[in-house]
């Protein structure tokens, strides 16, 4: 089979390797679609190395179908079925796991990091991770692969209790920001505003269901505050810049929740007047990766038709052009960039 192996930062080679041998309990998935995100880009260019073991095979957003197993499959999963794969394999024993935060387990391993990921024609799912196979039929493989980033958005919205919000502001309308808008609407948030400097993205945000779409700049916060009739209940920082929050603090409602969702530069700091937090009872909530229950929830939303995601997948390049696909993903000029392992 063919596999895109990252030997070291910026040293990616598409090579012929044997199809994985299955140990007892393992499952073999034929990969039909893999998507790339900013984390893949950072691992490739060397700016992210934590928890990465070289050589590695990138791709933690992937879907395919089950072609073989060395033992019984989990309930509800059968051979030949299309599945998406929850990428995290937590230890189950640490403080995070014991307290229900398996997505931030410090001892976890993950597909695309330590375990070979989706930039490959086949992926071996080890026995301890077969519960991570989530069936998702009746949609394209690319729609199944986009469950992972959407589940990250779902995790963030669950943590800030978006279903209790009357109003939400999403700052940044890249693919993840657009997922947040659509997910908020699917979860029943009545009114959603969005901010982005790029006109084309603002147009997609409107088409995605945002009720108010603005360019950032002077007066935007005043417009949002007036539109919200009392302030924004939930603010999603969907771009890794502190100005996704600071210009809009004055538009926050009493009891507002702020999701620090995007990845930020290591030195980035958020500054808010302490008494504003104190007297307004604001909550500032982190959101890292996703959880298995969110995978199932998002899969159900997509298969039911309540959440449309197919148009959020942009160009799909052949496996031999993985470096080009990573460059396109880094440019921000497309939607979620994909790789087809079979072309």
């Amino acid at each position: 089979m063919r596999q895109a192996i990252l030997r070291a930062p910026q040293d990616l080679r598409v090579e012929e390797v044997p199809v994985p041998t299955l140990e007892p309990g393992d499952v073999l998935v034929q990969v039909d679609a893999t998507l790339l995100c900013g984390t893949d880009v950072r691992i490739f260019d060397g700016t992210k190395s934590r928890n990465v073991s070289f050589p590695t095979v990138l791709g933690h957003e992937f879907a395919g179908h089950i072609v073989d197993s060395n033992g019984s499959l989990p309930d509800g999963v059968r051979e030949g079925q299309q599945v998406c794969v929850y990428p995290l394999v937590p230890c189950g024993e640490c403080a995070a796991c014991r307290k229900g935060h398996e997505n931030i387990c410090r001892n976890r391993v993950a597909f695309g990091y330590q375990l070979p990921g989706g930039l490959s024609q086949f992926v071996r799912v080890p026995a301890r991770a077969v519960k991570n196979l989530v069936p998702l039929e009746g949609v394209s493989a690319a729609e199944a692969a986009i469950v992972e980033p959407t589940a990250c958005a779902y995790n963030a919205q669950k943590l800030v209790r978006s279903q209790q919000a009357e109003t939400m502001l999403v700052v940044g309308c890249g693919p993840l920001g657009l997922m947040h808008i659509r997910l908020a609407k699917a979860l029943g948030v009545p009114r959603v505003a969005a901010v982005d400097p790029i006109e084309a993205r603002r147009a997609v945000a409107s088409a995605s269901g945002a009720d108010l779409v603005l360019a950032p700049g002077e007066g935007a916060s005043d417009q949002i505050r007036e539109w919200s009739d009392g302030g924004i209940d939930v603010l999603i920082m969907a771009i890794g810049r502190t100005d996704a929050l600071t210009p809009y603090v004055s538009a926050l409602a009493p009891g507002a929740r702020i999701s620090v969702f995007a990845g930020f530069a290591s030195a980035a700091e958020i500054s808010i007047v302490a008494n504003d937090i104190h007297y307004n009872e604001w909550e500032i909530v982190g959101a890292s990766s996703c959880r298995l229950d969110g995978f199932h929830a998002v899969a159900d939303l997509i298969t039911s038709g309540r959440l449309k995601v197919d148009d959020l997948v942009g160009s799909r390049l052949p496996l031999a052009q993985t470096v080009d696909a990573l460059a396109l993903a880094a440019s921000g000029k497309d939607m979620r960039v994909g790789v087809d392992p079979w072309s």
Side-chain angles (χ1 to χ4, degrees), residues 84-156:
C84 50
V85 182
Y86 176 62
L88 305 183
V89 187
C91 74
E93 299 176 353
C94 68
C97 289
R98 293 197 309 270
K99 296 177 181 180
H101 298 283
E102 70 276 6
N103 56 308
I104 53 174
C105 166
R106 296 300 186 259
N107 305 315
R108 74 191 187 195
V109 295
F111 294 94
Y113 291 73
Q114 303 92 340
L115 302 175
L119 291 178
S120 179
Q121 292 180 321
F122 295 94
V123 166
R124 178 181 74 89
V125 178
R128 61 177 172 149
V130 294
K131 66 180 182 299
N132 293 22
L133 298 169
V134 177
L136 186 59
E137 298 183 285
V139 300
S140 70
E143 289 173 90
I146 210 169
V147 166
E148 196 278 341
T150 311
C152 294
Y154 179 90
N155 177 49

Side-chain angles (χ1 to χ4, degrees), residues 19-33:
V19 174
T21 300
L22 300 184
E23 300 293 332
D26 292 352
V27 173
L28 188 67
V29 173
Q30 177 179 310
V31 180
D32 297 318

Side-chain angles (χ1 to χ4, degrees), residues 286-302:
S288 178
S289 191
C290 54
R291 307 184 190 198
L292 183 56
D293 63 348
F295 243 69
H296 285 282
V298 167
D300 289 344
L301 287 170
I302 292 174

